[in-house]
Amino acid sequence: MGNATKTTRINRTITVDFQDKATYWHLLSDGHAFVEFVVAFLLALGFQLSHKATCPGGGGCLTRHSHYARVRLGGLTIWRIQCTACKAVFTVLPHCVLRYRCMGPAVARQALLATHGGLSLAWCAVMCNISPMALYRLICALGHQSVVTVLTRCQLPLPGYLLADEKHSHCLTDRVYLPTLVSGRVLWHLGYSASKSAAAFTASYGDFQRAALQVEPSYCVRGALTDGFDSTTQVGVSAPVRQGLRSKFHTLLHRCRQRTSLRVVALGQRLRHFADYIATTVGADHGERVRHWFQNKKAGWYTVLADPRMPAMSTLLDQAHNAIDRKLFMMKGFHHPSGSQAVFLTGLAHLYNLIPYQRRALHAGQCGVEVEGGCLPTHDWMLNLQILTSGGFR
Ligand SMILES: [Zn+2]
């Protein structure tokens, strides 16, 4: 404390795929070949290193800078390379090493896969012979890069159309909310909020907006479908009644969407009928509340019906939510109020986007990013995770 000149160290670590350990050992003895290999790898990826702001255009020339030994990895030598123009130093981690971790990628791969599959952190840790806290920290380490950063590194365009909803969850005994943005099979935002207020959700979605604007200053969402019938919890209809109404309501929206002509007129008519139906079956005051709720939401639904590219069904969002919910339920013991929930959840979002679907699933062997048309650095999801969440890229 009291050190006014304290600067935060920028993480300029990059993971490089050296194919096998023998190649890496071989290159360690030849500085020139080492730098050439790294440069060729970066060219193939198409990523730019994060030089200092003062670096002249072109990024200067890379040279071998210094090395250190990882004692915990049996004295493995790690090289640093430096830009001759701006003096920025990049740590080059070979594919067989995780940043700051003594855990090898093979162990991490098993543990992350089991976590993603819904096994508790504690059980994953037992199976892989690591501490649950080490696994928790590993997921947090991945979560330091934002979802937008990682997805745009996969060349996915920023989403024009989004599904947005807040998943209700628990942090020990507190109710918490996870504001979520989904486009197709990819999670673009998974936030954390202890407050249910619209302001808190707006702030969380604002994180996505800010990250997106950094990538593309002119970015704006063309359409977002927010909540379905579930948000009628505030309307005061009891849960079982709401469930019944929910399916009726979804059928109503779906039918209107299928009618290409007169869709908008049909929706207005049907909403009125639906509110009347609630008034007669559940009670006049409920009918009035639902009518009021329709008034607030109608504009959004009209947008859905008017633009055929708008996602009308929230199935994929529900799937994402269920997958995340299973994991949060399984990590109860680590879900403590002073934990780094936002970072942990971002880590989980990366797993959701980058771990391939199982053998028997639709799109088996592909991950969400691939299904949505993104490009991945390698065929290995764990290595992709290591490379894409590296801090040394612009
Ligand atoms: Zn530079």
Side-chain angles (χ1 to χ4, degrees):
M1 295 303 270
N3 187 356
T5 57
K6 191 181 159 196
T7 50
T8 46
R9 250 185 107 128
I10 298 168
N11 164 23
R12 285 202 173 89
T13 306
I14 57 171
T15 294
V16 172
D17 180 14
F18 287 93
Q19 316 285 342
D20 55 72
K21 272 187 185 172
T23 310
Y24 183 63
W25 286 118
H26 180 71
L27 286 169
L28 283 181
S29 59
D30 184 345
H32 187 68
F34 183 89
V35 172
E36 281 208 332
F37 190 99
V38 172
V39 169
F41 177 77
L42 295 177
L43 272 177
L45 282 185
F47 291 176
Q48 303 281 319
L49 288 175
S50 62
H51 289 265
K52 292 183 184 171
T54 53
C55 191
C61 177
L62 292 171
T63 178
R64 218 152 73 138
H65 175 63
S66 65
H67 72 274
Y68 65 95
R70 282 278 190 102
V71 178
R72 285 190 298 189
L73 288 162
L76 184 74
T77 307
I78 304 290
W79 270 100
R80 291 193 177 108
I81 56 176
Q82 187 175 40
C83 167
T84 50
C86 69
K87 308 289 177 208
V89 174
F90 301 88
T91 304
V92 180
L93 287 188
H95 56 287
C96 50
V97 176
L98 292 178
R99 184 168 175 254
Y100 290 151
R101 276 138 257 253
C102 51
M103 181 195 312
V107 173
R109 175 197 303 271
Q110 292 302 321
L112 290 176
L113 202 56
T115 309
H116 179 69
L119 196 66
S120 74
L121 281 191
W123 273 112
C124 294
V126 168
M127 273 177 44
C128 304
N129 198 23
I130 50 176
S131 82
M133 206 56 197
L135 180 53
Y136 177 82
R137 289 208 186 99
L138 170 67
I139 297 171
C140 287
L142 299 172
H144 280 298
Q145 289 298 324
S146 84
V147 176
V148 171
T149 304
V150 169
L151 292 180
T152 48
R153 278 174 185 175
C154 298
Q155 293 170 42
L156 279 181
L158 291 169
Y161 298 86
L162 285 164
L163 285 165
D165 202 2
E166 297 88 35
K167 175 78 192 166
H168 298 206
S169 186
H170 287 91
C171 177
L172 298 180
T173 54
D174 297 335
R175 254 192 168 290
V176 297
Y177 306 88
L178 313 179
T180 312
L181 293 175
V182 166
S183 175
R185 289 177 175 273
V186 165
L187 268 173
W188 280 90
H189 177 72
L190 184 60
Y192 183 88
S193 165
S195 156
K196 197 187 183 172
S197 70
F201 296 156
T202 308
S204 180
Y205 292 128
D207 290 343
F208 162 77
Q209 187 76 10
R210 258 188 306 283
L213 285 174
Q214 266 186 358
V215 174
E216 200 182 303
S218 62
Y219 174 69
C220 76
V221 180
R222 262 174 294 175
L225 180 64
T226 55
D227 60 11
F229 198 66
D230 285 347
S231 70
T232 48
T233 27
Q234 295 108 306
V235 175
V237 183
S238 73
V241 175
R242 198 169 59 242
Q243 270 158 27
L245 292 174
R246 181 184 196 242
S247 61
K248 269 194 199 314
F249 178 72
H250 275 160
T251 317
L252 183 156
L253 266 189
H254 185 63
R255 291 233 178 97
C256 282
R257 207 175 147 80
Q258 284 177 326
R259 293 176 52 169
T260 44
S261 61
L262 292 173
R263 288 198 295 200
V264 172
V265 179
L267 177 67
Q269 230 170 42
R270 276 153 199 258
L271 289 179
R272 272 195 299 281
H273 286 300
F274 193 70
D276 291 344
Y277 170 77
I278 290 175
T280 50
T281 53
V282 194
D285 49 340
H286 286 306
E288 194 45 51
R289 284 198 197 112
V290 167
R291 203 168 285 126
H292 187 71
W293 182 70
F294 284 163
Q295 283 303 325
N296 289 334
K297 300 289 175 189
K298 220 163 56 177
W301 295 331
Y302 283 147
T303 320
V304 175
L305 294 176
D307 190 337
R309 288 171 300 176
M310 270 297 289
M313 284 299 155
S314 53
T315 320
L316 290 173
L317 180 67
D318 290 344
Q319 280 175 8
H321 270 160
N322 290 338
I324 297 297
D325 202 37
R326 276 197 299 276
K327 285 181 258 300
L328 289 180
F329 180 75
M330 290 307 186
M331 57 156 284
K332 276 180 291 196
F334 295 89
H335 212 29
H336 51 101
S338 58
S340 42
Q341 278 89 353
V343 179
F344 183 80
L345 286 165
T346 305
L348 290 182
H350 292 320
L351 298 184
Y352 180 84
N353 290 338
L354 289 169
I355 291 185
Y357 298 114
Q358 289 170 21
R359 222 156 20 105
R360 270 177 277 177
L362 180 71
H363 306 296
Q366 284 188 300
C367 67
V369 166
E370 279 172 299
V371 175
E372 295 304 321
C375 296
L376 296 168
T378 74
H379 294 296
D380 181 330
W381 67 263
M382 182 67 206
L383 192 51
N384 291 336
L385 207 55
Q386 288 168 256
I387 295 169
L388 292 165
T389 58
S390 290
F393 299 120
R394 243 200 322 233

